[in-house]
Amino acid sequence: MIIGLGSDLCNIERIQNSLDRFGARFETRVFTEVERAKAARRPHTRAGTYAKRFAAKEAFSKAVGTGFKTGVFMRDIGVVNGPSGAPTLHLTGGALVRLESLVPSGYKPLVHLTLTDDHPWAQAFVIIEAVPV
């Protein structure tokens, strides 16, 4: 059963402006170490790489119905790639607690994530599914 759905559209130029203005301070406040390493390997599309991940964080916060409050922070939501290369989310802290609170007894959460970008836009969709254990 689907227990959450969220989407977000992020302007890549807005992320580039934040990188230009705040640099590493912005990166470490918003993105996980894994996300920063991935962006560093993509110098020509760094802002786009970050924008997709920013959109994923926003989409997740909408899917769990909290936004960035009640203990859900951006750095608790990290985009990672599964063995197939497909993106998914690695959650910690308040984001993980909130996700687990939504799942009925006898079920486990499964997070689906899709990302895309076409300059100047990046987009993410998150679907949270509860599947029987």
Side-chain angles (χ1 to χ4, degrees):
M1 84 180 85
I2 294 175
I3 58 174
L5 172 67
S7 68
D8 191 66
L9 187 63
C10 180
N11 187 289
I12 295 169
E13 292 172 9
R14 178 176 156 231
I15 297 299
Q16 183 62 60
N17 289 340
S18 293
L19 290 167
D20 292 343
R21 184 170 179 197
F22 302 109
R25 186 171 145 222
F26 170 69
E27 291 175 277
T28 57
R29 182 176 179 167
V30 175
F31 301 102
T32 67
E33 191 173 317
V34 170
E35 292 170 319
R36 293 191 310 268
K38 183 160 211 112
R41 292 191 302 270
R42 298 176 169 178
H44 299 295
T45 59
R46 185 169 154 240
T49 298
Y50 277 140
K52 286 186 283 189
R53 281 145 184 81
F54 192 95
K57 295 166 189 287
E58 290 277 356
F60 174 82
S61 76
K62 293 171 184 175
V64 296
T66 60
F68 293 105
K69 58 183 178 182
T70 63
V72 177
F73 300 106
M74 283 201 163
R75 279 197 329 195
D76 291 342
I77 307 162
V79 176
V80 297
N81 295 91
S84 70
T88 190
L89 295 176
H90 175 75
L91 305 170
T92 59
L96 181 58
V97 169
R98 176 62 181 165
L99 175 64
E100 290 173 343
S101 75
L102 296 175
V103 181
S105 179
Y107 288 80
K108 67 178 182 176
L110 180 59
V111 177
H112 304 277
L113 170 64
T114 186
L115 304 169
T116 191
D117 66 304
D118 188 7
H119 195 85
W121 300 106
Q123 186 174 38
F125 289 95
V126 169
I127 297 173
I128 302 170
E129 182 180 9
V131 294
V133 175

